[in-house]
């Protein structure tokens, strides 16, 4: 499974179909591509987790 998020997801309508087709052509294994449920907030959420981890040290 491939999960894509961040700002890139805001433009998915421009490239999602082409990505899906290309990946399926590259391998015979089943590939699942999903949009991250947190969408474009992934960067800020990751930064918050990182800051929390650093604060705990």
């Amino acid at each position: 499974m491939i999960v894509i998020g961040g700002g890139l997801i805001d433009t998915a309508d421009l490239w999602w179909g082409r990505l899906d087709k290309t990946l399926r052509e590259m391998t015979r294994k089943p590939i699942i591509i999903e949009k991250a449920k947190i969408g474009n907030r992934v960067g800020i959420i990751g930064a918050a987790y990182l800051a929390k981890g650093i604060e705990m040290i």
Side-chain angles (χ1 to χ4, degrees):
M1 175 178 275
I2 300 171
V3 179
I4 301 174
L8 190 62
I9 211 66
D10 291 339
T11 62
D13 57 324
L14 301 174
W15 52 266
W16 192 271
R18 193 170 28 185
L19 173 67
D20 184 55
K21 181 179 182 276
T22 300
L23 289 174
R24 292 183 195 289
E25 291 172 351
M26 293 176 64
T27 183
R28 294 181 181 191
K29 295 182 179 185
I31 296 176
I32 300 170
I33 308 168
E34 294 285 335
K35 294 179 183 176
K37 289 184 170 67
I38 56 176
N40 196 8
R41 297 174 296 171
V42 70
I44 193 69
I45 292 171
Y49 274 101
L50 181 60
K52 184 177 179 180
I54 291 172
E55 183 179 321
M56 294 170 56
I57 294 176

